[in-house]
């Protein structure tokens, strides 16, 4: 090998050991530091010759010098330390109690908050004051509401406007019936999730002539900014995200117990509002013209009252309407299960073992979504028909006790109680995620976890670790109060049947509906579905007179019997 080649090889090796010095200056843009590399004005910062040798001077705390070809010793250029605008803060110090709380709030909110309906917008203030202790007024001077912060109204209005684009049926109903005012004189007291979508429902009812007072059916689901927008718009709303149990019932009572205002219609989700009026205000309950209920739990309560002969009001079962069962329960839950789990836990679904308790419409939606993401899905079911459907759809039917030790995620959607009891919770593997997609929080025995030997650790909003003495922990979502409905998925058709059911009950002639529970007429179900079809650029085929006669149908419907689901 020639001398020139050897010299070149040495130069390449030596170049790897030579730092390239670039001074860094701190530039603050909108309060955030960034690095702006600039050439160093120091001549010594120029690149040394390739054959220069490097050494470390121990007397200069590790400072580096270079020996040139001529034997001269030169000090290496020093790297400037990068300084941020707030470097005076001592990050090594243990944060104070307030500091730790603020930091944890910051982290959890950045992980969960968004401008979608999945999480409520929260401003940067660390205001822990209960809304019940605040005095707030909207721009018109009204204070007949109780929400987190009226100043968030503009954000809520934008979310409602977005939701309107995804709810063509309600918007079409509002446009068609606004002039007729079919709900003129109706005084509707409601208890539902307060989201951008239900805000569209409330504003539609108002446009059709109704007066509304509203509370939340879930202590975690309220979008604070949407509640603020409704309050600013003149609605009497009593709800905020993170209510206590006492707050929950206080808000319902504030909706109902107001001087000079007698509700004549109830729109409920879960039956809590109906139960409250029935128990606390029996005289008021007798004057109600109709109840509209949208949940399995609430409908079950109504049927119990009817069976006992205590239901003195006609009620409409919206939960079992086809548009509710298929669209809200099946299609929306098929998307919201993934959305909710991702937002709260950041879990990856591929390869995870999941057990879904219940294979009704909600369970079918959950299983389909999880299977598509690569999860191994097991199903528990008590109904042989639903069980057979699960098997035909490719899911393994098991008893919960058979798989509880090995699954990574447990999802309940039965509408029952004590589906997951303490025995099963004790046997779960470390890190198992436990959540509920049903309405009621009775499916998982959370009360049994409130014992001295178990430690509760709040991870972020709606996410808790429950830790056993041996260090095992499970991840509990929203204390199993149905957090996963809080997704960016809009309930496309659910709210339209509610509005039509209210109109039907309110305007029904005397004697059409007795003191019982009724299914939504199939004609209304089909009407709701037809309002959505233009959104998909869908074109219905029409029966000819001959075809309609052959099938024994009216060519304009209904096309299915009332018992069809």
């Amino acid at each position: 090998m020639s001398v020139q080649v050897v010299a070149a090889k040495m130069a390449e090796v030596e170049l790897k050991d030579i730092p390239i010095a670039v001074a860094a200056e701190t530039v603050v843009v909108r309060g955030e530091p960034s690095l702006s590399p600039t050439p160093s004005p120091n001549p010594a910062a120029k690149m040394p010759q390739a054959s220069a040798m490097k050494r470390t001077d121990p007397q200069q705390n590790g400072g580096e010098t270079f020996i040139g070809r001529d034997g001269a010793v030169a000090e290496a250029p020093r790297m400037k330390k990068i300084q941020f605008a707030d470097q005076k803060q001592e990050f090594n110090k243990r944060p104070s109690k307030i500091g730790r709380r603020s930091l944890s709030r910051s982290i959890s909110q950045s992980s969960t908050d968004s401008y979608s309906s999945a999480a409520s917008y929260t401003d940067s203030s660390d205001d822990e004051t209960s809304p019940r202790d605040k005095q707030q007024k909207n721009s018109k001077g009204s204070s007949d509401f109780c929400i987190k912060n009226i100043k968030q109204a503009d954000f809520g209005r934008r979310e409602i406007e977005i939701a309107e684009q995804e709810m063509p049926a309600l918007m079409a109903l509002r446009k068609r019936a606004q002039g007729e005012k079919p709900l003129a004189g109706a005084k509707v007291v409601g208890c539902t999730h307060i989201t951008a979508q239900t805000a569209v429902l409330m504003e539609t009812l108002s446009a059709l002539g109704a007066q509304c007072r509203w509370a939340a059916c879930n202590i975690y689901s309220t979008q604070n900014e949407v509640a603020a927008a409704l309050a600013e718009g003149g609605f009497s709303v009593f709800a905020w995200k993170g209510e206590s149990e006492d707050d929950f019932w206080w808000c319902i009572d504030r909706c109902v117990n107001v001087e000079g205002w007698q509700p004549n219609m109830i729109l409920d989700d879960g039956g809590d509002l109906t139960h409250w009026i029935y128990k606390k205000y029996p005289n008021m309950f007798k004057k109600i013209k109709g109840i509209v209920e949208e949940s399995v739990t609430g409908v079950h309560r109504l049927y119990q009252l009817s069976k006992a002969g205590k239901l003195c009001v006609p009620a409409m079962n919206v939960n079992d309407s086809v548009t509710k069962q298929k669209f809200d329960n099946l299609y929306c839950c098929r998307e919201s299960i993934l959305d909710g789990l991702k937002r709260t836990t950041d879990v990856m679904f591929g390869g995870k073992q999941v057990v879904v308790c219940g294979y009704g419409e909600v369970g079918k939606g959950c299983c389909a979504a999880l299977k598509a993401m690569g999860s191994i899905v097991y199903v528990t079911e008590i109904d042989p028909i639903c069980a057979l459907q699960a098997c035909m759809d490719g899911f393994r039917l098991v008893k919960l006790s058979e798989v509880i030790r090995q699954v990574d995620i447990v999802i309940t959607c039965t509408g029952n109680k004590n589906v997951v009891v303490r025995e099963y919770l004790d046997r779960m593997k470390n890190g198992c995620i436990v959540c509920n997609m049903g309405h009621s929080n009775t499916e998982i025995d959370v009360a049994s976890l409130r014992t001295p030997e178990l430690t509760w650790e709040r991870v972020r909003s709606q996410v808790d670790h429950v830790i056993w003495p041996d260090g095992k922990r499970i991840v509990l979502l929203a204390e199993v109060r149905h957090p996963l409905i809080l997704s960016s998925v809009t309930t496309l058709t659910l709210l339209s049947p509610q509005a039509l059911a209210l109109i039907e009950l309110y305007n029904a002639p005397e004697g059409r509906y007795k003191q019982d529970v009724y299914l939504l007429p199939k004609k209304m179900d089909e009407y709701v579905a037809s309002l959505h079809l233009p959104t998909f650029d869908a074109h219905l085929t029409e029966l000819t007179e001959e075809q309609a006669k052959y099938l024994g149908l009216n060519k304009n419907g209904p096309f299915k019997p009332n018992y069809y689901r």
Side-chain angles (χ1 to χ4, degrees), residues 260-274:
W261 199 83
Q262 162 71 47
N264 51 27
M265 300 295 295
I266 294 175
L267 200 162
D268 209 355
D269 182 351
D272 290 322
L273 173 61
T274 303

Side-chain angles (χ1 to χ4, degrees), residues 208-228:
L208 301 184
Q211 298 178 32
C212 300
R213 297 180 68 85
W214 229 262
C217 69
N218 186 294
I219 63 176
Y220 290 118
S221 67
T222 298
Q223 289 177 262
N224 288 332
E225 69 278 15
V226 171

Side-chain angles (χ1 to χ4, degrees), residues 543 545-555 558:
L543 289 174
E545 293 289 351
E546 184 180 0
Q547 289 172 324
K549 184 177 180 180
Y550 177 77
L551 294 174
L553 299 173
N554 184 313
K555 64 178 298 183

Side-chain angles (χ1 to χ4, degrees), residues 354-524:
V354 186
V355 60
V356 177
C357 301
Y359 201 67
E361 299 299 335
V362 173
K364 288 181 176 70
C366 293
C367 289
L370 292 162
K371 181 180 180 181
M373 295 299 292
S375 297
I376 301 165
V377 183
Y378 303 98
V379 172
T380 72
E381 184 52 75
I382 61 167
D383 184 338
I385 295 175
C386 291
L388 181 58
Q389 286 180 299
C391 293
M392 295 298 291
D393 289 337
F395 301 108
R396 185 180 169 195
L397 190 75
V398 298
K399 292 183 177 180
L400 189 56
S401 59
E402 297 171 356
V403 296
I404 196 64
R405 289 186 183 276
Q406 68 195 58
V407 294
D408 302 289
I409 304 174
V410 177
I411 301 169
T412 56
C413 40
T414 67
N416 205 341
K417 64 180 292 187
N418 296 334
V419 177
V420 179
V421 293
R422 177 62 187 268
E423 175 193 354
Y424 294 144
L425 294 164
D426 286 337
R427 293 167 60 191
M428 288 177 182
K429 67 191 290 187
N430 183 50
C432 184
I433 298 169
V434 184
C435 64
N436 172 41
M437 280 295 286
H439 177 85
S440 176
N441 64 337
T442 59
E443 299 194 40
I444 301 169
D445 188 10
V446 176
S448 69
L449 299 176
R450 304 283 187 185
T451 55
E453 74 271 14
L454 299 184
T455 302
W456 283 65
E457 178 182 83
R458 174 54 56 96
V459 180
R460 61 172 69 155
S461 175
Q462 301 190 36
V463 183
D464 290 287
H465 280 167
V466 181
I467 307 170
W468 270 250
D470 63 358
K472 184 199 88 168
R473 63 182 63 200
I474 65 171
V475 183
L476 201 63
L477 302 188
E479 300 181 32
V480 299
R481 290 178 179 272
H482 196 359
L484 302 185
I485 195 66
L486 317 182
S487 74
S488 57
V489 182
T490 54
T491 48
L492 289 175
T493 57
L494 163 63
L495 302 179
S496 307
Q498 288 180 338
L500 288 174
L502 281 172
I503 293 171
E504 172 65 18
L505 286 176
Y506 183 69
N507 291 284
E510 190 74 26
R512 176 181 292 179
Y513 296 105
K514 299 178 182 179
Q515 298 169 351
D516 205 348
V517 184
Y518 293 85
L519 289 171
L520 187 73
K522 200 60 60 187
K523 184 69 175 176
M524 292 187 186

Side-chain angles (χ1 to χ4, degrees), residues 190-252:
C191 184
T192 66
H193 297 282
I194 295 185
T195 64
Q197 291 76 41
T198 50
V200 177
L201 170 66
M202 292 169 64
E203 292 184 344
T204 298
L205 298 180
S206 178
L208 301 184
Q211 298 178 32
C212 300
R213 297 180 68 85
W214 229 262
C217 69
N218 186 294
I219 63 176
Y220 290 118
S221 67
T222 298
Q223 289 177 262
N224 288 332
E225 69 278 15
V226 171
L230 289 168
E232 177 61 31
F235 287 89
S236 299
V237 178
F238 301 87
W240 58 92
K241 187 176 183 178
E243 298 170 8
S244 66
E245 288 286 340
D246 181 63
D247 292 334
F248 175 78
W249 295 111
W250 179 87
C251 287
I252 288 179

